[in-house]
Amino acid sequence: MSETSSGWDRRSVLRTSAGLTATGALSGLAAGGAAHAADGRRPTTGKLPKPPSTKGAADRFTGEVWVDNLVAGEAPSRLRASMVRFAPCSRTAWHRHEHGQTLHVTEGIGLVQAKGGKLIVMRAGDIIHTPPGEWHWHGAAREHYMIHLAMVETNGDGGDAAEWGRLVTDEEYEGR
């Protein structure tokens, strides 16, 4: 389906989000001018380049893990968001986040556990929150891939968004 066959196109969405009505945006185009927001500024919404995928470091992950860093918040934002892909049995090391972490599972079946807590099975659509400072790990189930969006708030200093501990043992992974 083309952009226009669904009743919208990218330009009209950008102009509408910049405070113009569709009629105002079209009249601006008809006059040969570029569309501007009500305050006269040009819209700056745009597509960002996609950084390359990186393999998860062996001191932070067990198994095959690939990370796509999607957002590394520019001040004043402190949000970091990464899409993380885990092969079956792959997992993070124990780690914690000063401001907590939220995971949104997009595909597959995974596992998450807080230090001293029960092993939790997570599936596509699940949202998992780990509070600030809590040691935890997460990864894919034994026979399934798992992909999640990981969101953390940083200190804004450009440093690591996590404090990393030791690798999760096979016994811990198995819930023993």
Side-chain angles (χ1 to χ4, degrees), residues 24-128:
L26 291 174
S27 65
L29 287 178
H36 292 277
D39 63 4
R41 292 181 296 140
R42 290 183 58 82
T44 57
T45 298
K47 190 174 181 180
L48 297 174
K50 184 184 180 309
S53 298
T54 58
K55 185 163 178 26
D59 62 335
R60 296 179 178 185
F61 298 95
T62 299
E64 289 290 316
V65 178
W66 290 89
V67 180
D68 288 309
N69 292 312
L70 305 175
V71 175
E74 295 178 20
S77 173
R78 299 184 320 175
L79 172 69
R80 280 202 190 154
S82 300
M83 190 66 71
V84 187
R85 294 166 175 83
F86 294 85
C89 293
S90 297
R91 55 200 181 257
T92 68
W94 287 100
H95 63 286
R96 64 182 174 178
H97 305 275
E98 184 175 351
H99 302 289
Q101 180 181 48
T102 301
L103 305 175
H104 174 71
V105 180
T106 61
E107 293 184 44
I109 300 174
L111 305 169
V112 61
Q113 183 178 32
K115 190 71 119 181
K118 65 179 184 166
L119 193 61
I120 299 170
V121 175
M122 50 186 183
R123 292 179 164 73
D126 287 347
I127 299 172
I128 305 294

Side-chain angles (χ1 to χ4, degrees), residues 120-166:
I120 299 170
V121 175
M122 50 186 183
R123 292 179 164 73
D126 287 347
I127 299 172
I128 305 294
H129 176 72
T130 302
E134 185 169 83
W135 286 97
H136 67 285
W137 67 269
H138 36 96
R142 176 161 296 288
E143 297 177 356
H144 299 276
Y145 281 85
M146 189 269 296
I147 302 173
H148 67 50
L149 176 63
M151 297 164 280
V152 296
E153 183 179 347
T154 69
N155 288 327
D157 60 6
D160 202 337
E163 177 184 349
W164 292 92
R166 66 177 174 75

